[in-house]
Amino acid sequence: MLILVVALLTTGVGLAQTPVAPSRAVASCRRGDADACDRAGYAYQYGRGVAIDLRRAIELYTRACTRGSLVSCVRVAVMHEHGDGTAVNAVRAVELYRRACDGGNLYGCVNLGQLVERGAAGVPRDVPGALALYRRGCDGGFAGGCTYLGAALADERSTTPDYPQARALLERACQAGEMHGCSDLGWLYDQGRGVAQDYTRAVELYRRACDGGYAHGCASLGGLHESGQGVSRDAVAARALYQRACEGGDRYGCEQLRRLGAGGT
């Protein structure tokens, strides 16, 4: 099952943080150090050496963003989009993502693409605009951009499918270690979209995604174990994979557990 997962990109290359004493970071922030403001915001957001205080994190990220920290613009945009420590404000999130993207931060481009592809209060749906943003990320060397572009091109709900291009993009993402891309590539083989149907190949790709920490890959692999396609039918293995997916936050995995009468939240 192909799912355009709303996986906001808040960790990874260019966004990970090096631990630092919050008091030192705040002091440096007050002296005008944008990177220190970002480090302090991160500490308050995740409780690294200080009690979690999302409003304080927003304040510090906003200060850092204003001073030119594009990573902070992305971080605070995510918080505005999801109402973490503040009211949900998609319009403000778009503004911040766009600032980051225009400054060359590819996470900002791809996150903005996800938001405008879905649309939100005050933000009209814009699929062509989303595809352009994903392509910008992909062409810039960010595998996540290739994944979301490939997934969108394979999704009949969003655009006229272009399965050959979707496959090429998802292969590129998967080869770069983007597990979401591996899972969605597995779906193409599972369903025979743009490729000859090949359950064995789908199993390989779903397993790679699952083992790489992408929860929906576990759920999809569970489905093939349950049906016995590309792998021996194994209800116990299917249940365990749905459980693993659900514990990883995958809604579909939880739904399958409930269907089997095995709980799931």
Side-chain angles (χ1 to χ4, degrees):
M1 180 179 183
L2 178 68
I3 294 183
L4 290 177
V5 179
V6 182
L8 292 168
L9 307 166
T10 57
T11 60
V13 177
L15 291 180
Q17 265 294 1
T18 300
V20 65
S23 58
R24 288 170 47 200
V26 170
S28 295
C29 176
R30 287 173 179 160
R31 292 193 293 270
D33 184 336
D35 289 340
C37 295
D38 179 71
R39 291 193 295 273
Y42 190 89
Y44 277 102
Q45 183 178 6
Y46 295 104
R48 304 295 172 83
V50 68
I52 290 175
D53 185 337
L54 297 181
R55 291 189 178 186
R56 180 70 169 139
I58 288 172
E59 174 191 336
L60 289 159
Y61 285 150
T62 300
R63 189 180 302 176
C65 177
T66 300
R67 292 174 176 170
S69 172
L70 301 179
V71 168
S72 286
C73 297
V74 174
R75 294 192 207 279
V76 73
V78 171
M79 298 181 79
H80 280 289
E81 182 177 354
H82 288 270
D84 295 332
T86 186
V88 171
N89 189 338
V91 174
R92 176 63 172 153
V94 164
E95 175 189 333
L96 290 161
Y97 285 142
R98 195 173 301 282
R99 180 184 298 181
C101 180
D102 289 347
N105 184 291
L106 300 180
Y107 286 82
C109 299
V110 174
N111 279 17
L112 178 58
Q114 291 181 76
L115 183 48
V116 301
E117 183 178 4
R118 297 191 313 273
V123 179
R125 192 163 183 257
D126 180 5
V127 173
L131 298 183
L133 287 160
Y134 295 151
R135 189 172 297 281
R136 181 172 177 179
C138 182
D139 290 348
F142 178 36
C146 302
T147 293
Y148 281 96
L149 180 57
L153 291 174
D155 188 353
E156 296 175 354
R157 297 168 299 178
S158 298
T159 186
T160 302
D162 183 342
Y163 295 119
Q165 186 178 176
R167 181 185 64 179
L169 288 161
L170 293 171
E171 285 178 343
R172 178 176 172 184
C174 184
Q175 289 171 4
E178 227 284 313
M179 295 299 104
H180 183 171
C182 296
S183 180
D184 284 357
L185 181 60
W187 181 86
L188 292 182
Y189 282 98
D190 186 346
Q191 299 297 308
R193 303 293 176 88
V195 294
Q197 193 169 48
D198 185 342
Y199 292 121
T200 300
R201 180 64 173 146
V203 166
E204 292 172 356
L205 289 161
Y206 287 152
R207 181 173 289 120
R208 180 175 178 184
C210 179
D211 290 345
Y214 184 66
H216 189 65
C218 302
S220 298
L221 181 58
L224 293 183
H225 274 283
E226 187 176 1
S227 65
Q229 293 171 310
V231 67
S232 298
R233 182 173 292 177
D234 187 337
V236 173
R239 187 184 298 267
L241 286 160
Y242 291 146
Q243 181 73 46
R244 183 173 173 183
C246 185
E247 289 175 353
D250 184 72
R251 183 181 302 175
Y252 179 72
C254 296
E255 289 172 353
Q256 298 315 299
L257 275 182
R258 288 193 292 271
R259 177 179 59 80
L260 295 176
T265 57

